[in-house]
Amino acid sequence: MKSKLLAVAMCGVASSAAIAGPIEYSLNSSAAAVQQYAPLFQKELDRSRSFVDQMMEAGVVVPIPKDPGGGYTHEQHKQNFKIIYQGGQLYKLTGEQKYADYVRDILLAYADLYPTLGEHPARKNSQSSGRIFWQVLNDAMWMVDSIQGYEAIRDSLSEADRKNIDDNVFRKAAAFLSTGSAVTFNKIHNHATWATAGVGMTGYVLGDKELVDVALLGLDKSGKTGFLRQSELLFSPDGYYTEGPYYQRFALKPFIVFAGAIEKNDPSRKIFEHRNGILLKALRTTIQLTYDGYFFPFNDAIRDKSLKTDELYHGVAVAYSKTRDPGLLSIAQWQGRTVLTDDGMMVANDLAAGKASPFSFQSLLLSDGPEGKQGAVAIMRKGDGMTGQALVAKNSSQGMGHGHFDKLSWQYYDNGYEIVSDYGAARFLNIEAKQGGRYLPENESWAKQSIAHNSLVVDEKSHFNGDRRAADKLAPEQLYFTNEMGSQISTAKMTGAYPGVEFTRTLALLDVEGLGQPLVADIMRVDAEGDYAYDLPLHYNGHIMRVGFDVKSNVAGRPVLGESNGYQHIWVDGTGKPTSADNGFVTWIKDDRFYTARWVPQVGSETILAESGANDPDFNLRREQMLVQRVTSGKDIVFASILEAHGRYDGAAERTTASDSQVKTIQHVRHGGADLLLIETLAGAKSVLAISYDQDKNKKHTAAIDGQTISWTGFAAHLRLGGE
Amino acid sequence: MKSKLLAVAMCGVASSAAIAGPIEYSLNSSAAAVQQYAPLFQKELDRSRSFVDQMMEAGVVVPIPKDPGGGYTHEQHKQNFKIIYQGGQLYKLTGEQKYADYVRDILLAYADLYPTLGEHPARKNSQSSGRIFWQVLNDAMWMVDSIQGYEAIRDSLSEADRKNIDDNVFRKAAAFLSTGSAVTFNKIHNHATWATAGVGMTGYVLGDKELVDVALLGLDKSGKTGFLRQSELLFSPDGYYTEGPYYQRFALKPFIVFAGAIEKNDPSRKIFEHRNGILLKALRTTIQLTYDGYFFPFNDAIRDKSLKTDELYHGVAVAYSKTRDPGLLSIAQWQGRTVLTDDGMMVANDLAAGKASPFSFQSLLLSDGPEGKQGAVAIMRKGDGMTGQALVAKNSSQGMGHGHFDKLSWQYYDNGYEIVSDYGAARFLNIEAKQGGRYLPENESWAKQSIAHNSLVVDEKSHFNGDRRAADKLAPEQLYFTNEMGSQISTAKMTGAYPGVEFTRTLALLDVEGLGQPLVADIMRVDAEGDYAYDLPLHYNGHIMRVGFDVKSNVAGRPVLGESNGYQHIWVDGTGKPTSADNGFVTWIKDDRFYTARWVPQVGSETILAESGANDPDFNLRREQMLVQRVTSGKDIVFASILEAHGRYDGAAERTTASDSQVKTIQHVRHGGADLLLIETLAGAKSVLAISYDQDKNKKHTAAIDGQTISWTGFAAHLRLGGE
């Protein structure tokens, strides 16, 4: 059976004359002449050639498995599946026999080795053990790439070689990954996606329907597990992956790649329409979860992970092929890379033909949970996705083992920078010196803890007392969201993170008359059954310019803020007690813009200016500053704060404007069940963010503030007040 | 007399048809039609128009002087001279009467105001007082721009207006700046350059030879002071300005602009050939004192100052006009700006015509002092000026009031970053909240102190005990310099910074076999008459990955390193005692590259890992890390260290290579009077940096090291050793 896997590569024949206009590439499956492709594709081809040619010089290196991640045999087998994949694509594109021979020889070596393999020497346990790698996940990743490379050369092999590799490599590996790793295979989990993808794609290549069926429907073929069920349970209806953007990006590849194979082999399945087009939705959502090309780093995440990553080169190519969205071409352009498939060639061609248009980064509410009932991530944007504003309200569920204890936390991006930040993970990926590149102890002791986030912390304990299984059970409730221009508002409530405490947070991105940049408003309402101590941290990026209130400074050895739950990692620079929102502020500068955080101080509260980095003997933590509003005792508290971007510092022209806040003051008023935040600028403009918390969108509300009566309809509104 | 000031602006008339090829711009002094200029010039024109048109709406605003720097009247008068200058250029270019009228009206307002002015209310003292501004320097800056703007419109005025402005503004101001500010005018100092430039350029415009003569030759016209003498004494023969790059950049403008006026009005003077072409040399040297476009921030300097600055827009335009060096066009391209003069138009035209070529950033020895006998700055480069390497040895003199106590300090740039850094100044220019934008107390207590630099510190005191007048008297002696490819070496000696202590430092940028990046070698030899305590700090940029030796960490409240001379600003993270160069190292990561500092520990020495920021209640300091080699007691000491860049961290591809040092060890041997540094890589390559300190370039030296005999000729050499 002539299989049609992921992509039948097009061999384009183009004129070798000087290029005057756009190039037309024609389909021609056998071309040995020198090809010329659109630049992005050509670059990829050259890169692969260079890589595979170099590897060819080293010959066939298929060592007996021995080492864990990062070690020699692990890295070599990783290298091998890259070689097999790229060598296969190169053979399809160029027809050069040396590539087919090299891939064949490597697979023949695996055919000798694989049947002899048992559990991996460096395994963690039997259940998760791979054969080639210490964990079965990596065996699955090996499979996904290798089967694609194999498919490209299979028809060119001798009968004997084909049978040898079919039987001794892929059938055996498929058996191991499916029935031989039943626990993993039947999970609803990213590892299972890789396993089902590898097995299913092998099924298509070998013409083995059984393998395809178990991959799609689970070992018992009931559909309760398997690839299709995973696509229904691992993404919310908005295509959001519960572990967060970093892992969403990682989980995407097997979904996208296997779906491409299903589409080619069994188009009647209409896989890309499955569950309302969930797979393409997931790809788009992955892109939406970025700023300036970098993923929002919440939950466990490496902060330097951007759209420039293999999973998204594949993702963009497949999605473009299905949708022809010219915005995806802009993403490809930013990435500067594509994949050596016909989808990648299409991207490269259309990009070269000038068809790209800017990707539409939007304000979105992304629900979490398979039915979208486990909280949400709200993204409120203004301007473009690289230099504009993005306010991210993280109202999602725990996100399993890689989740952090950060209910209702937030981030703010502006002017190309992360201004209010999420720490990400304490991990230095692939760096031997940092415990072999694994998650560090400080990931548990700092990065996951509530105080390390812009979250409410009660009695200096983390949410759910740091118990992730308890945390997995309860998600926030998104109460309201609007992306109305100039008044974008998100409200969510969390119950159960602390016994007896419920907190409701509204984050809003508001245009305020006379202010050059939008303003962030943050109203955190706490309803408690008893008296508790509260901390509300703000982790910011910049150099302090002005503090509105007197600070008692610890200028020599700074004390540490606490003993556990992350508090042991905080040095206290100073404390103060602002008396009103007039002096309750801190101004900092980041590059050429100023920021002022301002809040209404609680009676009896204090403000802590602090920095992370204490109790870190191995220098595993970054040292970053924060300010904390602290209420030592209170029952029902409202934290009312704003973040204002203002002014300009022009180092070249040596001119500075508006280096101090343009806001005069803010006021918080509770009126019945409603919260009102009054904002008054130095220029005299007054406005109110009014939140009724009432879900009846037609109900009218009135309230008195600043000597005026205001009225609005529905859950929330941002209203201008009459002038003085 | 029809004056020909700086630039007779060309009024180009270009075809308004679609542009098919390069545009020819013709000289035509009266053109009211819409002009089209080369893009850089057009952009400048549009920018100026936009600015002046906007100012015109505000009308003529010439307030009675009252405020100091940053205050209202100060800023308004600054704005005015910008308006006058740009308005004048716009009139010359466009012929639009509204510009001439506006500039005239502003100057008529000054004609009313100026004669009434006495000493400025916010002056520091009589001697430095301006009339319009709190300090006479600013009055001079006002004059330089305003006279150029005036020149552009003068011929268009009525007889009465001309006489009014001539007499009541410029003659009076010239008298004030010259005889009325004799002390400043007669200085050999940047303030005097501005004053003589203002007065001299006024002389040309008014046809007043007396003013020109005193400007060029000093009030007594002897030539012992005045502009010409300043050009002989303020720059070294290599065009280096003793206060350092930040102030060199500032001092450049009046030199360049007045020289342009002299050239136009009195070409027989051949001002650009004066003193071997010192002015153009100074301009080029200013550019050479950058990395990635940013000035080396040593001495008092604001770190964000780059070539994108008004002084260098002028400088590049004038220098290009004289030299037609296509490298200067690349600089203009990076700047993205030019000036509205015929020189600026030439730059814009030639840039648009594709004539730019990369600017040649070089390895240079820049002598300091009027005769080049007060030390030097050695720049050792490899690769390009934006992403390559630059090793800067700061062996220059004190540099007067803005100098730092940093004899023989160094910096290292690589991969677009400052890896071994110079702090610059503790100052937030023009930011009201930071003491009005002035130099902060921490500039004295931290930024100038020796421990804040990569300098030798003896007995925890700064060089010259922090006495700048003592410091001004003694400069280092540059002993040797070679920019030979692969073995660039600089050696300098300092005597007198500490009584009884002489130190000689060799910094070298070496290509070492098998290493992917060049290596920095640092041999600091101390010859002392008694027993002293030594600290040798290294201020680095990056996140610690690995420390080769055990560290006793201060993980909670960190102690402060000392009490004074900058030590009070240092927190101690930990201390350790490496036992050999095998374990005497620290590895850090900056972006995608790793760096290992390695040294031969002295017997009984310890290493301190520390961070700046202690005793800084106002958050005026940045928190940056350092490591310090500390020898508590010793007489003749040699600190032998290297800095190695290695490996790659690829976050996108998730691959890391060579994250640990590729150097096995280093060894220091003293042989007679010579110092030898052996470097051995993990791969087994061995080489020696051998320094004889003997100035006889033909003399042969031999020494024994590593069981071999080596020989070399002259002061220093880098030799490969035979393999194992």
Side-chain angles (χ1 to χ4, degrees):
Chain A
M1 157 185 151
K2 184 168 177 137
S3 76
K4 288 169 289 179
L5 199 64
L6 200 273
V8 175
M10 302 196 302
C11 296
V13 178
S15 153
S16 57
I19 296 165
I23 299 174
E24 293 301 320
Y25 298 104
S26 55
L27 283 167
N28 181 337
S29 59
S30 65
V34 171
Q35 310 293 341
Q36 273 185 18
Y37 298 98
L40 199 68
F41 196 86
Q42 185 66 49
K43 205 174 77 156
E44 206 60 42
L45 183 65
D46 294 342
R47 178 193 268 258
S48 279
R49 257 196 201 281
S50 168
F51 168 66
V52 178
D53 288 353
Q54 195 186 335
M55 292 296 109
M56 244 189 264
E57 278 174 40
V60 173
V61 185
V62 179
I64 294 170
K66 181 168 105 35
D67 303 310
Y72 168 68
T73 67
H74 180 100
E75 293 302 313
Q76 183 58 42
H77 287 292
K78 262 175 75 174
Q79 196 80 307
N80 281 345
F81 74 65
K82 286 187 171 84
I83 298 168
I84 293 166
Y85 176 82
Q86 292 186 41
Q89 305 315 307
L90 285 169
Y91 176 64
K92 263 200 287 196
L93 284 164
T94 68
E96 285 176 53
Q97 191 59 35
K98 64 176 182 174
Y99 294 122
D101 290 350
Y102 186 43
V103 172
R104 173 200 68 202
D105 291 346
I106 295 174
L107 287 169
L108 287 172
Y110 276 102
D112 284 342
L113 175 69
Y114 195 88
T116 72
L117 301 179
E119 291 187 3
H120 193 283
R123 69 191 175 283
K124 212 162 148 183
N125 53 52
S126 289
Q127 183 175 297
S128 68
S129 177
R131 292 280 179 268
I132 305 173
F133 297 90
W134 72 292
Q135 54 177 9
V136 63
L137 164 66
N138 300 105
D139 278 48
M141 292 171 74
W142 185 98
M143 190 99 163
V144 166
D145 271 20
S146 297
I147 192 62
Q148 292 176 74
Y150 181 51
E151 187 274 339
I153 68 157
R154 190 167 176 266
D155 291 343
S156 75
L157 298 177
S158 72
E159 183 77 44
D161 285 344
R162 189 182 310 130
K163 184 163 172 41
N164 186 7
I165 297 171
D166 277 8
D167 292 348
N168 288 317
V169 181
F170 289 101
R171 282 195 205 286
K172 287 195 150 61
F176 166 64
L177 276 180
S178 53
T179 50
S181 306
V183 173
T184 296
F185 195 81
N186 279 333
K187 274 184 178 172
I188 302 297
H189 190 275
N190 161 253
H191 291 192
T193 317
W194 281 99
T196 52
V199 169
M201 288 163 80
T202 296
Y204 284 128
V205 174
L206 301 186
D208 185 335
K209 191 180 185 306
E210 175 76 8
L211 289 179
V212 176
D213 287 346
V214 300
L216 291 173
L217 303 168
L219 281 175
D220 66 3
K221 292 184 245 179
S222 70
K224 290 203 185 101
T225 61
F227 183 79
L228 293 176
R229 192 69 181 133
Q230 291 160 27
S231 78
E232 290 156 16
L233 295 179
L234 285 176
F235 294 108
S236 79
D238 298 311
Y240 177 75
Y241 183 83
T242 199
E243 289 191 280
Y246 183 77
Y247 282 95
Q248 169 143 0
R249 175 269 326 167
F250 177 67
L252 199 68
K253 182 173 172 182
F255 276 112
I256 288 286
V257 161
F258 188 21
I262 296 167
E263 181 80 348
K264 288 286 185 319
N265 283 274
D266 192 359
S268 67
R269 221 175 233 297
K270 297 193 199 289
I271 185 68
F272 285 109
E273 289 172 42
H274 180 67
R275 197 193 166 199
N276 237 344
I278 191 63
L279 293 175
L280 292 175
K281 221 178 265 190
L283 179 279
R284 295 192 72 80
T285 291
T286 307
I287 298 174
Q288 292 284 357
L289 288 164
T290 62
Y291 179 86
D292 194 29
Y294 286 79
F295 290 105
F296 303 150
F298 56 75
N299 288 345
D300 278 347
I302 304 295
R303 294 174 55 81
D304 56 51
K305 184 55 82 172
S306 73
L307 294 169
K308 291 179 187 176
T309 188
D310 181 62
E311 301 87 350
L312 269 296
Y313 306 145
H314 281 276
V316 165
V318 170
Y320 183 71
S321 154
K322 293 299 299 173
T323 65
R324 306 301 164 91
D325 171 11
L328 291 172
L329 296 178
S330 288
I331 299 298
Q333 182 157 44
W334 189 86
Q335 293 172 317
R337 297 281 306 270
T338 187
V339 287
L340 288 178
T341 60
D342 56 349
D343 294 340
M345 191 181 293
M346 190 185 301
V347 166
N349 288 356
D350 288 5
L351 188 58
K355 291 185 183 174
S357 67
F359 184 85
S360 173
F361 285 97
Q362 295 171 314
S363 295
L364 294 173
L365 185 68
L366 301 169
S367 63
D368 188 12
E371 285 149 56
K373 291 181 178 166
Q374 289 175 18
V377 174
I379 306 171
M380 290 160 277
R381 293 191 192 262
K382 187 176 180 186
D384 66 66
M386 303 272 161
T387 67
Q389 291 81 37
L391 170 61
V392 182
K394 197 220 179 218
N395 303 325
S396 49
S397 69
Q398 181 67 15
M400 305 191 292
H402 286 301
H404 288 193
F405 300 101
D406 60 359
K407 290 293 160 284
L408 308 196
S409 183
W410 63 291
Q411 287 174 259
Y412 189 58
Y413 294 88
D414 178 44
N415 201 26
Y417 295 102
E418 200 186 8
I419 299 301
V420 171
S421 58
D422 190 298
Y423 190 89
R427 179 182 191 188
F428 294 88
L429 186 64
N430 290 333
I431 294 176
E432 182 63 37
K434 290 290 182 181
Q435 298 198 20
R438 294 185 296 276
Y439 284 103
L440 297 162
E442 289 78 6
N443 198 51
E444 296 294 318
S445 65
W446 169 251
K448 286 186 173 178
Q449 300 296 329
S450 299
I451 193 66
H453 299 85
N454 306 306
S455 291
L456 182 74
V457 187
V458 177
D459 285 351
E460 296 187 32
K461 293 188 177 67
S462 288
H463 303 165
F464 305 100
N465 213 14
D467 176 351
R468 132 10 210 187
R469 295 192 190 283
D472 273 335
K473 296 195 171 92
L474 293 169
E477 186 188 350
Q478 184 78 24
L479 299 179
Y480 181 73
F481 176 78
T482 174
N483 58 5
E484 178 190 326
M485 282 303 294
S487 295
Q488 304 188 53
I489 303 169
S490 161
T491 306
K493 179 167 80 172
M494 185 65 212
T495 309
Y498 297 104
V501 179
E502 187 178 274
F503 47 103
T504 306
R505 189 172 214 167
T506 298
L507 285 157
L509 190 63
L510 309 171
D511 286 349
V512 172
E513 183 192 332
L515 296 187
Q517 305 293 336
L519 191 115
V520 177
D522 171 18
I523 302 177
M524 170 76 90
R525 178 168 170 163
V526 186
D527 298 303
E529 285 170 17
D531 238 348
Y532 297 94
Y534 301 107
D535 284 333
L536 188 65
L538 184 75
H539 297 268
Y540 64 92
N541 184 7
H543 192 121
I544 290 181
M545 291 288 105
R546 195 191 287 283
V547 179
F549 48 94
D550 291 333
V551 175
K552 209 162 66 171
S553 300
N554 303 313
V555 291
R558 296 172 299 176
V560 171
L561 190 56
E563 311 249 302
S564 55
N565 302 326
Y567 283 77
Q568 72 274 32
H569 290 300
I570 299 173
W571 281 305
V572 180
D573 277 301
T575 57
K577 291 182 190 279
T579 54
S580 77
D582 293 15
N583 56 57
F585 71 86
V586 173
T587 299
W588 66 85
I589 187 174
K590 178 63 186 177
D591 192 7
D592 65 344
R593 190 165 287 174
F594 298 91
Y595 298 87
T596 297
R598 183 186 298 273
W599 59 94
V600 180
Q602 317 291 333
V603 170
S605 70
E606 70 170 348
T607 302
I608 301 167
L609 302 176
E611 188 185 33
S612 58
N615 283 298
D616 175 32
D618 297 327
F619 300 97
N620 287 336
L621 295 178
R622 298 186 304 274
R623 291 155 182 195
E624 300 179 339
Q625 285 178 284
M626 70 196 83
L627 63 93
V628 183
Q629 294 182 51
R630 167 168 279 192
V631 176
T632 35
S633 156
K635 217 165 152 206
D636 296 336
I637 301 282
V638 173
F639 293 90
S641 321
I642 61 168
L643 176 65
E644 171 204 356
H646 53 91
R648 177 133 198 267
Y649 168 76
D650 186 337
E654 290 185 24
R655 185 176 312 122
T656 302
T657 50
S659 58
D660 280 310
S661 170
Q662 304 295 295
V663 167
K664 184 174 174 191
T665 194
I666 60 175
Q667 235 188 84
H668 168 254
V669 165
R670 183 168 274 190
H671 184 99
D675 280 308
L676 309 172
L677 178 71
L678 170 73
I679 300 155
E680 184 180 351
T681 68
L682 289 177
K686 293 186 187 183
S687 62
V688 175
L689 175 62
I691 310 161
S692 70
Y693 302 101
D694 191 324
Q695 291 287 6
D696 182 347
K697 62 174 72 126
N698 296 314
K699 186 160 178 196
K700 190 168 166 189
H701 306 277
T702 56
I705 186 164
D706 195 52
Q708 303 186 40
T709 304
I710 57 163
S711 61
W712 75 98
T713 310
F715 191 99
H718 179 224
L719 313 163
R720 193 166 298 177
L721 287 197
E724 309 166 300
Chain B
M1 158 184 154
K2 182 166 177 140
S3 78
K4 287 170 294 181
L5 199 64
L6 201 272
V8 175
M10 301 195 304
C11 297
V13 179
S15 155
S16 58
I19 294 165
I23 299 175
E24 295 300 320
Y25 298 103
S26 55
L27 283 168
N28 182 337
S29 59
S30 64
V34 170
Q35 309 295 338
Q36 274 185 18
Y37 299 97
L40 199 69
F41 196 87
Q42 185 65 48
K43 204 173 77 157
E44 205 61 41
L45 183 64
D46 295 341
R47 177 192 270 257
S48 279
R49 256 194 202 282
S50 167
F51 168 66
V52 179
D53 289 352
Q54 196 186 335
M55 292 298 107
M56 244 188 266
E57 279 173 39
V60 173
V61 184
V62 179
I64 294 170
K66 180 169 110 30
D67 303 309
Y72 168 67
T73 66
H74 180 100
E75 293 302 313
Q76 183 56 43
H77 286 292
K78 262 175 77 173
Q79 197 82 307
N80 282 344
F81 73 64
K82 286 186 169 84
I83 298 168
I84 293 166
Y85 175 82
Q86 293 186 40
Q89 305 316 307
L90 286 168
Y91 176 64
K92 265 199 287 194
L93 284 165
T94 68
E96 285 175 52
Q97 192 58 36
K98 64 176 182 174
Y99 294 122
D101 290 349
Y102 186 43
V103 172
R104 173 201 66 201
D105 291 345
I106 295 174
L107 287 170
L108 287 172
Y110 275 100
D112 284 343
L113 175 69
Y114 195 87
T116 71
L117 301 179
E119 291 186 4
H120 194 282
R123 68 190 175 284
K124 212 160 147 185
N125 53 51
S126 289
Q127 182 176 297
S128 69
S129 177
R131 291 279 179 271
I132 304 173
F133 297 90
W134 73 291
Q135 54 175 11
V136 64
L137 164 66
N138 300 105
D139 278 49
M141 293 171 74
W142 184 99
M143 190 100 163
V144 167
D145 271 20
S146 299
I147 193 61
Q148 294 176 73
Y150 180 52
E151 187 274 340
I153 68 158
R154 188 166 178 268
D155 290 345
S156 74
L157 297 178
S158 72
E159 183 75 46
D161 285 343
R162 188 182 312 131
K163 185 161 170 42
N164 187 8
I165 295 170
D166 278 7
D167 292 348
N168 289 317
V169 181
F170 290 102
R171 281 194 204 286
K172 287 193 151 61
F176 165 64
L177 277 179
S178 53
T179 49
S181 306
V183 172
T184 296
F185 195 82
N186 279 335
K187 275 184 176 172
I188 302 299
H189 190 277
N190 161 250
H191 292 192
T193 316
W194 282 100
T196 52
V199 169
M201 288 163 79
T202 296
Y204 283 128
V205 173
L206 301 187
D208 185 335
K209 189 179 184 308
E210 174 76 9
L211 289 178
V212 175
D213 288 347
V214 301
L216 292 173
L217 302 168
L219 282 176
D220 66 4
K221 291 184 243 178
S222 71
K224 291 204 187 96
T225 60
F227 183 78
L228 293 175
R229 192 67 182 136
Q230 291 160 28
S231 78
E232 290 156 17
L233 295 179
L234 285 175
F235 294 108
S236 77
D238 297 313
Y240 177 75
Y241 183 82
T242 199
E243 289 190 283
Y246 182 75
Y247 281 95
Q248 169 141 1
R249 174 269 326 169
F250 176 67
L252 198 69
K253 183 173 172 183
F255 276 112
I256 288 284
V257 161
F258 188 21
I262 295 166
E263 181 79 348
K264 289 286 183 322
N265 285 276
D266 192 0
S268 67
R269 220 176 234 295
K270 297 191 200 289
I271 185 66
F272 285 109
E273 289 172 41
H274 181 65
R275 196 189 166 200
N276 236 343
I278 191 62
L279 294 175
L280 293 174
K281 219 178 268 189
L283 179 279
R284 295 191 71 80
T285 291
T286 307
I287 297 173
Q288 293 283 356
L289 287 165
T290 63
Y291 179 86
D292 193 27
Y294 286 79
F295 290 105
F296 303 150
F298 57 74
N299 288 345
D300 278 346
I302 304 296
R303 293 173 57 80
D304 55 53
K305 184 54 83 172
S306 74
L307 294 169
K308 291 180 186 176
T309 187
D310 180 62
E311 301 87 349
L312 269 296
Y313 307 145
H314 281 276
V316 165
V318 170
Y320 183 70
S321 152
K322 292 299 299 173
T323 65
R324 309 299 165 91
D325 171 11
L328 290 172
L329 296 178
S330 290
I331 300 297
Q333 182 158 48
W334 189 85
Q335 293 171 318
R337 296 282 305 271
T338 188
V339 287
L340 289 178
T341 61
D342 57 349
D343 293 342
M345 192 182 292
M346 189 184 303
V347 167
N349 289 354
D350 288 5
L351 188 58
K355 292 185 183 175
S357 66
F359 184 85
S360 173
F361 285 97
Q362 296 172 314
S363 296
L364 293 173
L365 185 68
L366 300 171
S367 62
D368 189 10
E371 283 148 60
K373 291 182 178 168
Q374 288 174 20
V377 173
I379 307 172
M380 290 160 276
R381 293 190 192 263
K382 188 178 180 181
D384 65 67
M386 303 271 161
T387 68
Q389 291 80 39
L391 170 61
V392 182
K394 195 217 180 223
N395 303 325
S396 48
S397 69
Q398 181 66 14
M400 303 192 292
H402 285 302
H404 288 193
F405 300 99
D406 59 1
K407 290 292 157 288
L408 308 196
S409 183
W410 62 292
Q411 288 171 262
Y412 188 57
Y413 294 89
D414 178 43
N415 200 26
Y417 294 102
E418 201 186 7
I419 300 299
V420 171
S421 59
D422 189 297
Y423 190 88
R427 180 183 190 187
F428 294 88
L429 186 63
N430 289 333
I431 295 177
E432 183 62 37
K434 291 291 182 178
Q435 297 197 22
R438 294 186 296 277
Y439 285 103
L440 297 162
E442 289 78 7
N443 198 50
E444 295 295 317
S445 66
W446 170 251
K448 286 186 173 179
Q449 300 297 327
S450 299
I451 192 67
H453 300 85
N454 306 306
S455 291
L456 182 74
V457 188
V458 177
D459 285 351
E460 298 187 30
K461 293 190 178 65
S462 287
H463 302 166
F464 305 100
N465 214 14
D467 175 351
R468 98 82 168 167
R469 295 195 189 282
D472 272 335
K473 297 195 173 92
L474 293 169
E477 186 188 351
Q478 183 79 25
L479 300 179
Y480 181 72
F481 177 78
T482 174
N483 58 7
E484 177 189 328
M485 283 302 295
S487 295
Q488 305 189 53
I489 303 169
S490 160
T491 306
K493 179 166 81 172
M494 185 65 211
T495 308
Y498 296 104
V501 178
E502 188 179 274
F503 47 103
T504 307
R505 189 171 213 167
T506 298
L507 285 158
L509 190 62
L510 309 172
D511 285 351
V512 172
E513 182 192 331
L515 296 187
Q517 306 292 336
L519 192 115
V520 176
D522 171 19
I523 302 178
M524 171 75 90
R525 177 168 170 164
V526 186
D527 298 303
E529 285 169 15
D531 236 347
Y532 297 95
Y534 302 107
D535 285 332
L536 188 66
L538 183 76
H539 296 269
Y540 65 90
N541 185 6
H543 191 122
I544 290 181
M545 292 287 107
R546 197 191 285 284
V547 179
F549 48 94
D550 291 332
V551 176
K552 211 162 65 172
S553 299
N554 303 311
V555 291
R558 297 172 298 175
V560 172
L561 189 56
E563 311 248 303
S564 55
N565 303 326
Y567 283 77
Q568 72 274 29
H569 290 300
I570 299 174
W571 280 304
V572 180
D573 276 302
T575 56
K577 290 180 189 278
T579 54
S580 77
D582 293 16
N583 58 57
F585 71 86
V586 174
T587 299
W588 66 86
I589 188 174
K590 178 63 186 178
D591 193 7
D592 65 344
R593 191 165 288 176
F594 298 91
Y595 297 87
T596 297
R598 184 186 297 274
W599 58 95
V600 179
Q602 316 292 334
V603 170
S605 70
E606 70 170 348
T607 303
I608 301 166
L609 303 176
E611 187 184 34
S612 58
N615 283 298
D616 175 32
D618 297 327
F619 301 97
N620 288 335
L621 295 179
R622 298 185 305 273
R623 291 156 182 195
E624 301 180 337
Q625 284 178 283
M626 70 197 83
L627 64 91
V628 183
Q629 293 182 52
R630 166 166 282 193
V631 176
T632 35
S633 154
K635 215 162 154 211
D636 295 336
I637 301 282
V638 174
F639 293 90
S641 322
I642 62 169
L643 176 64
E644 171 203 356
H646 53 91
R648 179 134 198 267
Y649 169 75
D650 185 336
E654 293 186 20
R655 186 173 314 122
T656 302
T657 50
S659 58
D660 280 309
S661 170
Q662 305 295 295
V663 167
K664 183 174 176 191
T665 194
I666 60 175
Q667 233 188 87
H668 167 256
V669 164
R670 184 168 274 189
H671 185 99
D675 280 308
L676 311 171
L677 179 71
L678 169 74
I679 300 155
E680 183 180 350
T681 68
L682 289 176
K686 294 186 187 182
S687 62
V688 175
L689 174 63
I691 309 161
S692 71
Y693 303 101
D694 192 323
Q695 292 289 3
D696 181 348
K697 61 174 74 128
N698 297 315
K699 187 162 177 194
K700 189 169 167 187
H701 306 278
T702 56
I705 187 163
D706 196 51
Q708 304 185 39
T709 304
I710 58 165
S711 61
W712 74 100
T713 310
F715 191 99
H718 179 222
L719 314 164
R720 193 167 295 178
L721 287 197
E724 308 166 300

